[in-house]
């Protein structure tokens, strides 16, 4: 059994493909099982330049093998090979088993150039193209055909008339396949399915690589491999069962044969270009230039030369193609020597493809060998390419993951200096392209926090303990603020600055969150025997300028505007009033929306620009300040109206309930100074409170 039949069985698992060797064109099928079909092989009577359909008086010209075109045989009358152009008749004498056939017979004809007619009992039962002694009336047709018929008797002749005008080969190239109609039809359909599978697989791979190229136009290897696969997919559809001839039957047969041959040229050029992209350093440059020149010339000849001349010249390219495969193998050997990535897999795939291409070339030239195998070699080659592509993608994916991890790590490191929110406010997606001078203006809230006992604590413990305490404290405070939309902006001594580019409520909510955190934190410190820590908070809201500032190689961002200085100044007043948190009037509406009763009015601060009302944010757990807030505000209201006696009584009442209320003590002292000296002067260094 020939190799291509064995491959067919392995791929599709079809029934046994028998072959019957005829003796002088006589095929005795008495012992053959027609339910499986059989190839009619061997030598049959051949009648040159005679279109006959019944036994003639004169004998045949010679007995000619059915799997070889007549151009490979010598005319005994002239002593030279038969010319490609001409016509002839083949005779198949069939002897069936004695019992009547169970169903109609069928015969399948393939690779007959370039027109043929099948005659049974004096009637034409199949014709592909048009057969005529007059070459002018000849019409080429090369499709694979199958015909069903009832035999006229148990012994009959099948006359196959063949005519060739333009092709370089003439006559049969494959033996007919005969059997019951169901067996032949099953064989034909399975063969067609195999060809469609090969065609579809190669075409899908071609389209996939072309799509990859259109999405990654710089990677030309996808284009060249896509062209290579596309060309061979076209060739697969135009050979063997030639189903594309049926689909494109409106096109002339010679045009489709041109396309079949030109597809080989395009594939050869694309493969060299593909290898050049993969292994450019191993390329044999002079041979590559020669290859592109020769292949380009044959493509032009295929388009413009007359069909007959073109097919005659094509045989020389088939010889050249074998040499080109050897050049590619030498190319791969150089890549193997230099240990290029994926070179071993390429070599394995290329060896298989080279073997099958050489087999096809030899079969095309000499009509001997194992039939056309390049489509199978191509599938192996493409599977190897898929494996290489998968491995390449795996490497790329791992590299991308590592690069992504590094990018995330770098982004995290960068965010310690320029937070992502600041970058977005500046209209940037990342640090790339960030330059000094980048700026934006926006509404934001600024909050300044101070760690209250840090100075006194640092005098009691070692420097490294102070640093560790400060880092631990900040590491726990910053996430609390970030959870409410705050951005850690800077750390200076015991002071931390946070920005809130979102709604003002976020700044107010973060103050209450810090109150809750501080209670839990101090509970832990008390359990460990440490003194409690404290926070003083000052916050304001307004319009500010955010800008990137560069000094040499150093790049940093800063905020500029009254809101920054005001937040720092308000935070300083917390020590004057003994308040945990102070805010300006711009944040008061947000405070009223977040917490209706946890605040009290503390007076007005005069700045060079304007007078700013101040409000203390009271910890909801501070029951004393909450209970005295209303009497404090009544006393302060009386003070503002100039009713100093009433104000003094009010502040004294507050201090009777809350002796440590520094705000009440501050205003009581001012009332008393005003009463004695008629002035509202503060102690030196205090901001001016009206």
């Amino acid at each position: 059994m020939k190799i291509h039949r064995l491959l067919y069985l392995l791929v599709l698992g079809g029934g046994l493909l028998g072959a019957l060797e005829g003796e002088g064109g006589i095929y005795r099928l008495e012992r053959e099982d027609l339910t499986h079909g059989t190839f009619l092989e061997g030598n049959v009577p051949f009648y040159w330049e005679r279109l006959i359909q019944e036994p003639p008086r004169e004998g045949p010209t010679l007995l000619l093998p059915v799997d070889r075109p007549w151009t490979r045989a010598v005319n005994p009358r002239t002593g030279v090979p038969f010319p490609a152009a001409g016509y002839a008749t083949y005779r198949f004498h069939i002897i069936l088993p004695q019992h009547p056939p169970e169903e109609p017979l069928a015969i399948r004809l393939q690779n007959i150039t370039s027109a043929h007619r099948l005659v049974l009992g004096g009637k034409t039962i199949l014709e592909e193209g048009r057969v005529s002694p007059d070459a002018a009336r000849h019409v080429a047709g090369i499709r694979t055909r199958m015909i069903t018929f009832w035999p006229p008797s148990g012994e009959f002749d099948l006359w196959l008339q063949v005519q060739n005008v333009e092709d370089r080969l003439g006559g049969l190239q494959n033996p007919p396949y005969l059997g019951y109609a169901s067996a032949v039809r099953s064989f034909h359909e399975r063969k067609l399915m195999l060809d469609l599978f090969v065609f579809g697989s190669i075409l899908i791979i071609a389209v996939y690589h072309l799509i990859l190229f259109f999405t990654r136009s710089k990677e030309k290897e996808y284009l060249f491999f896509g062209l290579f696969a596309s060309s061979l997919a076209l060739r697969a559809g135009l050979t063997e069962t030639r189903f594309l001839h049926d689909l494109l039957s409106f096109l002339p047969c010679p045009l489709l044969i041109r396309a079949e041959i030109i597809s080989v040229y395009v594939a050869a050029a694309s493969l060299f270009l593909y290898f050049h992209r993969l292994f450019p350093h191993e390329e044999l440059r002079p041979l590559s230039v020669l290859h592109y020149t020769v292949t380009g010339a044959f493509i032009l000849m295929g388009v413009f030369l007359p069909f007959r001349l073109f097919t005659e010249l094509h045989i020389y390219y088939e010889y050249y193609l074998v040499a080109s495969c050897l050049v590619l193998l030498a190319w791969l050997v150089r890549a193997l020597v230099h240990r290029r990535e994926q070179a071993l897999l390429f070599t394995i795939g290329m060896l298989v493809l080279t073997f099958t291409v050489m087999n096809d070339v030899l079969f095309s030239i000499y009509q001997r060998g194992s039939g056309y195998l390049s489509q199978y070699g191509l599938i192996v080659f493409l599977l190897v390419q898929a494996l290489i592509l998968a491995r390449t993608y795996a490497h790329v994916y791992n590299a991308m993951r590592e690069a992504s991890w590094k990018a995330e790590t770098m982004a995290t490191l960068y965010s310690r200096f320029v937070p992502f929110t600041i970058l977005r406010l500046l209209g940037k997606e990342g640090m790339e392209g960030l330059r000094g001078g980048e700026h934006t203006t926006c509404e934001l809230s600024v909050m300044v926090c101070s760690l209250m006992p840090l100075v006194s604590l640092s005098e009691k413990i070692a420097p490294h303990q102070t640093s560790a305490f400060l880092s631990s404290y900040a590491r726990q405070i910053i996430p609390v603020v970030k959870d409410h939309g705050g951005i850690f902006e800077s750390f200076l001594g015991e002071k931390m600055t946070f920005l809130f580019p979102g709604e003002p409520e976020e700044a107010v909510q973060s103050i209450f969150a810090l109150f809750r955190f501080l209670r839990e934190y101090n509970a832990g410190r008390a359990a460990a025997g440490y003194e409690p820590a404290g926070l003083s908070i000052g916050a304001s809201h307004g319009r500010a300028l955010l800008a990137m500032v560069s000094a040499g190689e150093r790049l940093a961002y800063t905020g500029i505007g009254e809101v920054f200085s005001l937040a720092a100044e308000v935070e300083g007043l917390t020590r004057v009033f003994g308040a945990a948190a102070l805010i300006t009037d711009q944040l008061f509406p947000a405070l009223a929306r977040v917490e209706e009763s946890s605040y009290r009015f503390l007076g007005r601060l005069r700045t060079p620009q304007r007078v700013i009302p101040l409000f203390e944010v009271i910890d909801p757990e501070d029951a004393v300040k909450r209970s005295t807030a209303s009497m404090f505000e009544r006393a302060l209201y009386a003070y503002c109206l100039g009713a100093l006696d009433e104000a003094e009584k009010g502040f004294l009442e507050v201090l009777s309930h809350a002796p440590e209320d520094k705000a009440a003590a501050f205003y009581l002292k001012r009332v008393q100074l005003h009463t004695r000296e008629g002035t509202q002067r503060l102690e030196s260094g205090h901001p001016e409170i009206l």
Side-chain angles (χ1 to χ4, degrees):
M1 184 180 294
K2 293 188 177 181
I3 293 178
H4 70 288
R5 296 179 197 163
L6 179 60
L7 288 174
Y8 168 74
L9 290 174
L10 291 175
V11 174
L12 291 182
L16 294 176
L17 301 180
L20 179 61
E21 188 83 20
E23 297 179 2
I26 301 174
Y27 295 90
R28 300 181 181 276
L29 304 179
E30 297 97 330
R31 298 181 181 179
E32 297 294 326
D33 185 2
L34 296 179
T35 59
H36 292 122
T38 182
F39 285 98
L40 303 180
E41 296 187 334
N43 299 325
V44 299
F46 176 73
Y47 301 86
W48 176 245
E49 292 189 339
R50 299 173 69 184
L51 299 179
I52 56 178
Q53 54 190 20
E54 59 183 21
R57 295 179 181 178
E58 298 180 6
T61 304
L62 77 165
L63 296 177
L64 187 68
V66 295
D67 59 353
R68 190 187 311 173
W70 64 55
T71 50
R72 305 301 180 204
V74 175
N75 189 337
R77 297 177 182 176
T78 62
V80 297
F82 291 100
Y87 55 91
T89 302
Y90 296 82
R91 179 187 179 186
F92 297 86
H93 187 74
I94 310 297
I95 301 177
L96 298 175
Q98 293 184 357
H99 57 81
E102 300 175 359
E103 59 176 294
L105 299 181
I107 189 168
R108 180 178 182 271
L109 303 174
Q110 180 178 342
N111 283 346
I112 303 177
T113 52
S114 59
H116 56 275
R117 178 194 299 138
L118 186 64
V119 179
L120 173 63
K123 295 182 179 179
T124 299
I125 60 173
L126 180 149
E127 186 168 16
E128 173 65 13
R130 182 187 300 156
V131 178
S132 173
D134 183 2
R137 299 185 59 193
H138 163 82
V139 176
I142 199 171
R143 293 180 298 173
T144 297
R145 300 291 300 275
M146 185 193 81
I147 187 65
T148 300
F149 62 92
W150 282 100
S153 61
E155 185 174 347
F156 60 93
D157 286 323
L158 285 172
W159 301 89
L160 182 59
Q161 302 171 358
V162 181
Q163 182 180 20
N164 179 54
V165 173
E166 295 180 323
D167 200 273
R168 67 182 180 87
L169 300 175
L172 286 171
Q173 299 178 43
N174 290 91
Y177 187 73
L178 179 69
Y180 283 139
S182 58
V184 177
R185 185 179 300 107
S186 177
F187 169 75
H188 178 75
E189 289 175 353
R190 288 197 298 268
K191 192 67 173 69
L192 179 61
M193 288 172 58
L194 175 60
D195 285 357
L196 287 171
F197 169 76
V198 172
F199 172 79
S201 301
I202 300 173
L203 185 62
I204 289 172
I205 293 175
V207 172
Y208 174 70
H209 282 81
L210 290 175
I211 291 175
L212 283 178
F213 167 71
F214 287 122
T215 57
R216 305 175 182 179
S217 57
K218 292 184 179 180
E219 300 179 19
K220 297 293 192 302
E221 59 268 26
Y222 293 125
L223 171 64
F224 300 141
F225 190 77
L227 291 175
F228 171 71
S230 300
S231 301
L232 291 182
L234 177 62
R235 183 178 181 275
L238 293 172
T239 56
E240 292 296 319
T241 56
R242 302 183 186 273
F243 61 87
L244 284 183
H245 281 262
D246 288 316
L247 293 176
L248 305 174
S249 58
F250 56 89
L251 296 176
C253 180
L255 179 61
L256 295 175
I257 297 176
R258 280 182 187 267
E260 171 193 336
I261 298 174
I262 292 175
S263 68
V264 177
Y265 305 155
V266 175
S270 302
L271 189 59
F272 263 70
L273 290 168
Y274 177 56
F275 270 53
H276 168 72
R277 293 289 298 185
L278 295 175
F279 307 112
H281 301 294
E282 283 72 37
E283 182 181 16
L284 304 170
R285 187 64 180 172
L287 295 179
S288 295
V289 173
L290 174 65
H291 176 75
Y292 301 138
T293 303
V294 172
T295 303
F298 270 90
I299 291 175
L300 293 175
M301 287 190 291
V303 174
F304 298 107
L305 284 183
F307 182 75
R308 176 64 181 277
L309 180 58
F310 165 57
T311 57
E312 289 290 345
L313 292 174
H314 173 66
I315 189 173
Y316 298 105
Y317 192 85
E318 292 183 334
Y319 289 117
Y320 169 77
L321 193 60
V322 174
S324 299
C325 291
L326 298 177
V327 171
L328 287 178
L329 288 175
W331 197 337
L332 281 173
V333 168
R334 288 163 60 94
L336 283 172
V337 171
H338 293 99
R339 297 184 178 183
R340 303 298 183 190
E341 188 177 5
Q342 314 292 6
L344 180 59
L345 283 175
F346 268 106
T347 303
I348 294 173
M350 193 61 201
L351 282 172
V352 175
L353 183 61
T354 300
F355 168 76
T356 55
V357 169
M358 292 176 67
N359 173 84
D360 284 12
V361 171
L362 294 174
F363 181 76
S364 175
I365 296 172
Y366 301 108
Q367 295 300 303
R368 293 188 180 276
S370 304
Y372 290 108
L373 300 179
S374 61
Q375 62 265 41
Y376 306 107
L378 180 62
I379 289 179
V380 173
F381 182 74
L382 293 179
L383 289 176
V384 170
Q385 298 306 307
L387 177 59
I388 291 172
L389 187 63
R391 293 183 61 181
T392 302
Y393 276 174
H395 293 325
V396 172
Y397 176 73
N398 291 334
M400 289 178 62
R401 285 187 60 185
E402 184 176 355
S404 176
W405 177 80
K406 290 181 179 179
E408 290 178 1
T409 303
M410 293 303 298
T412 302
L413 292 174
Y414 288 148
S415 68
R416 297 180 180 181
F417 304 98
V418 183
F420 294 128
T421 307
I422 299 297
L423 290 175
R424 286 193 288 270
L425 289 174
L426 292 170
K428 301 291 184 181
E429 294 296 328
M431 295 291 291
E432 300 83 2
L434 195 60
R435 299 287 185 272
E438 302 277 358
H439 67 277
T440 185
T441 57
C442 61
E443 292 280 339
L444 52 78
S445 302
V446 179
M447 183 171 73
V448 178
C449 303
S450 287
L451 182 59
M452 294 299 290
L454 182 63
V455 176
S456 59
L457 181 66
S458 64
E459 296 173 353
K460 301 176 184 178
I461 60 178
H464 72 275
Q465 292 176 313
T466 302
S467 175
F469 168 72
L470 188 60
S471 297
S472 173
Y473 197 32
R475 191 165 52 246
Q476 297 178 71
I477 289 176
I478 291 174
V480 175
V481 180
K482 287 180 65 176
D483 288 343
H484 293 84
I487 304 170
F488 176 65
E489 195 265 346
S490 63
F491 210 135
L492 182 61
E494 76 277 10
K495 295 182 183 294
M496 292 179 288
T497 303
F498 296 93
L499 307 181
F500 295 84
E503 296 297 326
E505 283 84 352
E506 293 178 338
V508 176
Q509 288 171 343
S510 70
I511 294 174
F512 288 105
L514 288 174
F515 287 160
R516 292 191 294 271
F517 159 76
L518 197 59
R519 286 195 297 271
E520 297 173 0
Y521 183 75
N522 282 331
R525 288 181 62 81
Y530 297 118
E531 64 178 292
L535 275 177
S536 62
I537 303 170
S540 183
H541 181 85
R543 195 159 189 83
L545 171 69
L546 295 177
M548 297 301 301
V549 180
S550 63
E553 295 182 355
R554 183 176 176 81
L555 185 67
Y557 78 97
T558 186
I560 303 171
E562 182 191 23
V563 64
F564 287 92
S565 58
L566 195 56
E569 191 170 1
V570 169
E571 187 277 329
L573 287 175
T574 58
R575 296 163 182 78
V576 176
F577 293 118
L582 287 179
I583 63 172
T584 60
D585 61 326
Q586 294 95 335
L587 283 173
F588 176 71
L591 173 62
R593 289 192 292 270
V594 173
E595 182 66 46
E596 294 183 355
S597 58
S598 290
Y599 64 87
R600 63 181 183 176
F601 176 64
L602 283 188
R604 292 174 293 173
L605 172 68
R606 173 177 286 173
T607 68
Q609 291 80 19
R610 56 194 176 96
V611 175
I612 301 171
L614 299 177
F615 296 86
E616 178 184 4
V617 182
I618 303 174
D619 186 346
E621 298 296 320
D622 190 343
V624 175
K625 276 193 177 182
R626 287 172 65 90
S627 64
T628 61
S630 58
M631 64 179 70
F632 176 86
E633 287 188 337
R634 285 195 299 272
L636 185 59
Y637 182 68
Y639 170 76
C640 292
L641 293 177
L644 299 182
D645 292 338
E646 184 180 348
E648 184 177 9
K649 292 178 181 179
F651 291 129
L652 287 171
E653 184 181 3
V654 171
L655 289 171
S656 66
H657 290 85
E660 297 181 355
D661 192 330
K662 295 180 70 173
F666 171 81
Y667 278 108
L668 177 62
K669 184 177 181 180
R670 293 195 65 173
V671 169
Q672 292 171 349
L673 285 172
H674 184 75
T675 301
R676 292 194 305 269
E677 304 177 8
T679 179
Q680 296 181 10
R681 180 180 58 82
L682 283 173
E683 296 178 6
S684 176
H686 284 174
E688 186 174 358
I689 301 294
L690 299 180

